[in-house]
Amino acid sequence: MRIDLRSYFAALFAGDLAALGAPPTDEALAGHIRAEQVSLVLGYSFGIMLANACNALVLAIALWQSADWAFALVWAAAVGSAALFFGLQARASRRITKPQFVSRRTMYRLVRNALALGAAWGVVPVAFFANASSGAQLVITCLCAGMLAGGAFAFSTIPIAAIAFTAPIFVGIAICLGRDGDFIYLLMAVLVLVYGSVLLRGVFVNAFEFRRRIIAQHEAERTVRQDPLTHLPNRVAFNEALNGA
């Protein structure tokens, strides 16, 4: 039982949708699917990280007159610097030839980084909303909404990474809106949960469709290189191997 749970969570945090009910695949194909997922994330990463840095700067400016301005400045500097570092790193990775296989360890690292960035943004409504002016509260609301949408878009093929990024922000918003006990804020918290559910459902639908498309493409490529009667490599596969040698 313990081994089964360990295997399940290992597959889940590696972004394998078989842990969520999709048809299972062998590790070679799963690694190829992970490579396609990571390639898409890297394609978005520079723009997303640049947006993170700009959002952090906007927040620091909006909270300049707040009692929490010093903490906001430190937070913005830390998040902005980290975002620029990872964005430039992702941009450099895009110049390398796209891998055909990505290990589970790489996916674990991606999910961990998504959780860390989401947690950093989840701090914002809890730490800054209460003491902010009405204008700054509007800025915080817009930034959190934008980060939720941007995170869901960036990780739209990896549901566990999308959840890791958005969950801390949802929790931060829920704590912020629910701690005053104001009925209007409670209604807003319900709306946030409803919108979040719709957002994550879209992520799951897109991820399952992406996985199905990659598997179909892989099967088509394998059929072209395989004799239908003997299931051995055919002339196309032989010529490719010869050219590679």
Side-chain angles (χ1 to χ4, degrees):
M1 180 65 178
R2 184 178 297 176
I3 294 175
D4 290 342
L5 280 176
R6 187 180 300 169
S7 300
Y8 172 80
F9 283 111
L12 179 65
F13 286 106
D16 190 349
L17 293 179
L20 299 171
T25 59
D26 57 63
E27 182 57 23
L29 181 53
H32 177 64
I33 294 171
R34 288 193 293 267
E36 296 293 335
Q37 291 170 325
V38 170
S39 178
L40 274 180
V41 172
L42 288 177
Y44 302 140
S45 288
F46 180 72
I48 293 291
M49 291 298 105
L50 190 60
N52 270 267
C54 291
N55 288 347
L57 179 61
V58 167
L59 181 67
I61 294 171
L63 295 174
W64 188 252
Q65 301 296 328
S66 169
D68 301 317
W69 70 269
F71 180 33
L73 190 61
V74 171
W75 179 93
V79 171
S81 300
L84 288 175
F85 172 77
F86 284 114
L88 292 172
Q89 196 175 52
R91 191 177 186 183
S93 299
R94 287 285 292 172
R95 296 172 182 171
I96 304 172
T97 304
K98 187 174 86 171
Q100 294 302 309
F101 181 90
V102 164
S103 67
R104 286 187 170 189
R105 188 182 297 274
T106 300
M107 291 297 285
Y108 296 153
R109 220 166 31 238
L110 186 148
V111 173
R112 181 195 65 201
N113 291 342
L115 178 62
L117 186 57
W121 280 103
V123 167
V124 171
V126 177
F128 304 126
F129 191 86
N131 295 328
S133 64
S134 58
Q137 287 180 344
L138 181 60
V139 169
I140 291 171
T141 303
C142 292
L143 287 177
C144 288
M147 294 310 300
L148 287 171
F153 170 76
F155 299 117
S156 59
T157 60
I158 314 173
I160 188 62
I163 292 171
F165 179 80
T166 58
I169 304 176
F170 279 125
V171 171
I173 293 172
I175 292 172
C176 170
L177 295 178
R179 64 184 172 187
D180 289 336
D182 190 299
F183 181 68
I184 299 299
Y185 280 178
L186 291 176
L187 285 179
M188 290 174 63
V190 171
L191 285 175
V192 167
L193 290 176
V194 171
Y195 294 155
S197 301
V198 173
L199 196 66
L200 290 178
R201 175 172 172 74
V203 169
F204 276 94
V205 169
N206 182 73
F208 274 89
E209 176 59 25
F210 177 81
R211 184 180 190 271
R212 186 198 63 77
R213 191 165 64 248
I214 295 300
I215 291 175
Q217 180 183 345
H218 183 268
E219 290 297 325
E221 290 176 354
R222 188 174 66 176
T223 301
V224 169
R225 295 169 175 79
Q226 191 179 74
D227 183 81
L229 182 63
T230 63
H231 300 293
L232 294 173
N234 60 13
R235 183 178 297 178
V236 174
F238 172 77
N239 288 335
E240 287 182 346
L242 187 63
N243 289 333

mmCIF file of all heavy atoms in Angstrom, residues 56-57 60 71-84:
data_model
loop_
_atom_site.group_PDB
_atom_site.id
_atom_site.type_symbol
_atom_site.label_atom_id
_atom_site.label_comp_id
_atom_site.label_asym_id
_atom_site.label_seq_id
_atom_site.Cartn_x
_atom_site.Cartn_y
_atom_site.Cartn_z
ATOM 1 N N ALA A 56 5.823 43.011 -9.838
ATOM 2 C CA ALA A 56 6.440 43.277 -8.539
ATOM 3 C C ALA A 56 6.796 44.760 -8.408
ATOM 4 O O ALA A 56 6.602 45.373 -7.348
ATOM 5 C CB ALA A 56 7.687 42.410 -8.364
ATOM 6 N N LEU A 57 7.298 45.338 -9.505
ATOM 7 C CA LEU A 57 7.629 46.767 -9.498
ATOM 8 C C LEU A 57 6.375 47.623 -9.318
ATOM 9 O O LEU A 57 6.363 48.586 -8.534
ATOM 10 C CB LEU A 57 8.344 47.132 -10.802
ATOM 11 C CG LEU A 57 8.738 48.605 -10.974
ATOM 12 C CD1 LEU A 57 9.709 49.038 -9.877
ATOM 13 C CD2 LEU A 57 9.346 48.837 -12.357
ATOM 14 N N ALA A 60 5.262 47.524 -5.694
ATOM 15 C CA ALA A 60 6.103 48.354 -4.830
ATOM 16 C C ALA A 60 5.743 49.831 -4.971
ATOM 17 O O ALA A 60 5.688 50.569 -3.977
ATOM 18 C CB ALA A 60 7.577 48.131 -5.172
ATOM 19 N N PHE A 71 8.639 46.484 3.679
ATOM 20 C CA PHE A 71 8.472 45.053 3.401
ATOM 21 C C PHE A 71 8.116 44.845 1.937
ATOM 22 O O PHE A 71 8.614 43.922 1.277
ATOM 23 C CB PHE A 71 7.395 44.475 4.321
ATOM 24 C CG PHE A 71 7.132 43.007 4.120
ATOM 25 C CD1 PHE A 71 8.142 42.129 3.751
ATOM 26 C CD2 PHE A 71 5.850 42.494 4.296
ATOM 27 C CE1 PHE A 71 7.901 40.777 3.567
ATOM 28 C CE2 PHE A 71 5.593 41.154 4.109
ATOM 29 C CZ PHE A 71 6.612 40.293 3.741
ATOM 30 N N ALA A 72 7.248 45.720 1.404
ATOM 31 C CA ALA A 72 6.849 45.609 -0.002
ATOM 32 C C ALA A 72 8.058 45.790 -0.924
ATOM 33 O O ALA A 72 8.188 45.098 -1.941
ATOM 34 C CB ALA A 72 5.770 46.645 -0.323
ATOM 35 N N LEU A 73 8.940 46.709 -0.571
ATOM 36 C CA LEU A 73 10.122 46.962 -1.394
ATOM 37 C C LEU A 73 11.061 45.754 -1.383
ATOM 38 O O LEU A 73 11.580 45.346 -2.426
ATOM 39 C CB LEU A 73 10.856 48.206 -0.878
ATOM 40 C CG LEU A 73 11.986 48.749 -1.758
ATOM 41 C CD1 LEU A 73 11.459 49.174 -3.118
ATOM 42 C CD2 LEU A 73 12.675 49.926 -1.069
ATOM 43 N N VAL A 74 11.266 45.173 -0.194
ATOM 44 C CA VAL A 74 12.121 43.978 -0.086
ATOM 45 C C VAL A 74 11.501 42.824 -0.864
ATOM 46 O O VAL A 74 12.190 42.107 -1.607
ATOM 47 C CB VAL A 74 12.322 43.592 1.395
ATOM 48 C CG1 VAL A 74 13.009 42.241 1.513
ATOM 49 C CG2 VAL A 74 13.122 44.674 2.123
ATOM 50 N N TRP A 75 10.188 42.652 -0.697
ATOM 51 C CA TRP A 75 9.488 41.563 -1.400
ATOM 52 C C TRP A 75 9.614 41.750 -2.911
ATOM 53 O O TRP A 75 9.912 40.793 -3.643
ATOM 54 C CB TRP A 75 8.018 41.562 -0.989
ATOM 55 C CG TRP A 75 7.213 40.503 -1.674
ATOM 56 C CD1 TRP A 75 6.942 39.247 -1.228
ATOM 57 C CD2 TRP A 75 6.576 40.617 -2.964
ATOM 58 N NE1 TRP A 75 6.182 38.572 -2.143
ATOM 59 C CE2 TRP A 75 5.946 39.376 -3.220
ATOM 60 C CE3 TRP A 75 6.488 41.637 -3.909
ATOM 61 C CZ2 TRP A 75 5.230 39.147 -4.386
ATOM 62 C CZ3 TRP A 75 5.783 41.390 -5.080
ATOM 63 C CH2 TRP A 75 5.158 40.163 -5.301
ATOM 64 N N ALA A 76 9.374 42.960 -3.396
ATOM 65 C CA ALA A 76 9.429 43.230 -4.835
ATOM 66 C C ALA A 76 10.830 43.004 -5.392
ATOM 67 O O ALA A 76 10.997 42.451 -6.487
ATOM 68 C CB ALA A 76 8.967 44.662 -5.114
ATOM 69 N N ALA A 77 11.840 43.409 -4.634
ATOM 70 C CA ALA A 77 13.221 43.214 -5.092
ATOM 71 C C ALA A 77 13.560 41.731 -5.193
ATOM 72 O O ALA A 77 14.184 41.280 -6.167
ATOM 73 C CB ALA A 77 14.185 43.915 -4.132
ATOM 74 N N ALA A 78 13.124 40.959 -4.193
ATOM 75 C CA ALA A 78 13.415 39.522 -4.193
ATOM 76 C C ALA A 78 12.685 38.812 -5.329
ATOM 77 O O ALA A 78 13.296 38.039 -6.096
ATOM 78 C CB ALA A 78 13.014 38.919 -2.842
ATOM 79 N N VAL A 79 11.395 39.069 -5.468
ATOM 80 C CA VAL A 79 10.610 38.399 -6.504
ATOM 81 C C VAL A 79 11.045 38.857 -7.898
ATOM 82 O O VAL A 79 11.187 38.038 -8.823
ATOM 83 C CB VAL A 79 9.104 38.660 -6.287
ATOM 84 C CG1 VAL A 79 8.287 38.164 -7.485
ATOM 85 C CG2 VAL A 79 8.628 37.975 -5.013
ATOM 86 N N GLY A 80 11.277 40.165 -8.067
ATOM 87 C CA GLY A 80 11.702 40.673 -9.368
ATOM 88 C C GLY A 80 13.044 40.105 -9.799
ATOM 89 O O GLY A 80 13.218 39.706 -10.954
ATOM 90 N N SER A 81 13.992 40.042 -8.870
ATOM 91 C CA SER A 81 15.320 39.497 -9.192
ATOM 92 C C SER A 81 15.234 38.016 -9.548
ATOM 93 O O SER A 81 15.838 37.562 -10.528
ATOM 94 C CB SER A 81 16.260 39.688 -7.999
ATOM 95 O OG SER A 81 16.396 41.054 -7.680
ATOM 96 N N ALA A 82 14.481 37.249 -8.754
ATOM 97 C CA ALA A 82 14.329 35.819 -9.027
ATOM 98 C C ALA A 82 13.641 35.592 -10.372
ATOM 99 O O ALA A 82 14.039 34.711 -11.146
ATOM 100 C CB ALA A 82 13.540 35.152 -7.902
ATOM 101 N N ALA A 83 12.611 36.396 -10.658
ATOM 102 C CA ALA A 83 11.889 36.246 -11.917
ATOM 103 C C ALA A 83 12.797 36.529 -13.113
ATOM 104 O O ALA A 83 12.787 35.785 -14.097
ATOM 105 C CB ALA A 83 10.681 37.172 -11.929
ATOM 106 N N LEU A 84 13.585 37.590 -13.038
ATOM 107 C CA LEU A 84 14.498 37.904 -14.138
ATOM 108 C C LEU A 84 15.558 36.825 -14.313
ATOM 109 O O LEU A 84 15.893 36.452 -15.443
ATOM 110 C CB LEU A 84 15.164 39.260 -13.884
ATOM 111 C CG LEU A 84 14.260 40.484 -14.047
ATOM 112 C CD1 LEU A 84 15.002 41.754 -13.650
ATOM 113 C CD2 LEU A 84 13.748 40.599 -15.488
#
